[in-house]
Structure formats: C-alpha cells, structure tokens
Amino acid sequence: MERNQLAATIRLVQANLTWKPGSAEQHVKQRIRRGHLPPTATLMEYEDIIRTVISNDNAQVYIFWYNATPYISIIDVVNGNHWLVMFALNGVLESAYIVERPERYLNKSEFEYVGLLSKVASHDD
C-alpha cells in the first residue's frame, strides 16, 4: 500500500467522519451492549472518542488485512482504554471498539504495523 494514499485517507477521516448509511446508530448500540460505552452514550460521544484516537500524534497506525482488502486501523488510549478505529481506504468507518489486550490482539497476522500517526499522516510524496 502506498504511504501517500494511506496519509490522504487518514486526513480525509480526520476532516470528516463518514459511516455506511444507517450504520452509525447500530454501532453505538453494539458498543453499549458490549460495555464499551455507558448506557446513555450518544453517537456524538462515540464520535468524540473516534476523533480523539485519530487525532493523537502518538496513536499507532496498522493495516488490517481482510480477504486481501486493507483497512486502516488506528489505536490509542482514551479514558484508560485502548480504542481501535478502523476504516476503509475510501474513508468510510468500519468500526471503533475497545481492545482488551492490544499486545496480543495486534500481534495477529492480519495486522501490519505502519508507524506513529504523526509520521504516517504527514507523509507526502
């Protein structure tokens, strides 16, 4: 995957969070069911967590490969939890969720480490 495409997609998501039509509220409900968000959480609160993760220069960037399709995954700690935000190369959000044991979860073969967000998102060539 080209680094400049990766950087451009990250900047796109940082500028505008886009969900698949009709999926945003379902994601909030699922995060509440799994205990990742409090029962009163709103889409705005969920998206605030997502924005925090994708804007922290020290967040870690990975590529998650699923059936030969790459998904950009950014992980960072928010309120004491490791949150992973995943989106497609077109900038559409796939999900954002808490990872309980990131050192094990991110060691799976599907994840490819890219680098710190500050370095990856500033890449221009």
Side-chain angles (χ1 to χ4, degrees):
M1 162 173 297
E2 292 186 32
R3 294 287 285 237
N4 57 349
Q5 179 187 15
L6 186 58
T9 303
I10 290 170
R11 288 193 299 266
L12 174 68
V13 173
Q14 288 171 330
N16 184 32
L17 297 182
T18 304
W19 293 94
K20 291 177 189 169
S23 72
E25 290 300 334
Q26 290 307 115
H27 281 276
V28 173
K29 289 176 184 171
Q30 185 177 26
R31 298 285 69 86
I32 290 171
R33 272 196 311 276
R34 296 215 173 146
H36 295 180
L37 293 171
T40 58
T42 64
L43 176 59
M44 186 181 299
E45 291 167 329
Y46 185 41
E47 288 184 343
D48 283 347
I49 292 169
I50 293 169
R51 282 187 191 90
T52 298
V53 171
I54 65 174
S55 63
N56 184 345
D57 284 346
N58 292 317
Q60 305 287 316
V61 179
Y62 290 81
I63 301 298
F64 176 77
W65 293 93
Y66 181 75
N67 291 337
T69 302
Y71 293 89
I72 300 169
S73 302
I74 301 176
I75 189 164
D76 195 33
V77 177
V78 179
N79 299 326
N81 293 304
H82 287 86
W83 278 88
L84 184 138
V85 176
M86 186 178 292
F87 47 92
L89 290 183
N90 63 2
V92 175
L93 287 165
E94 287 293 321
S95 191
Y97 50 92
I98 291 175
V99 175
E100 296 296 335
R101 286 182 252 151
E103 63 285 346
R104 289 183 61 200
Y105 188 82
L106 297 168
N107 260 341
K108 296 176 183 175
S109 62
E110 298 90 351
F111 284 98
E112 173 188 334
Y113 182 71
V114 181
L116 286 177
L117 181 60
S118 60
K119 301 264 191 282
V120 177
S122 67
H123 197 276
D124 286 308
D125 56 10

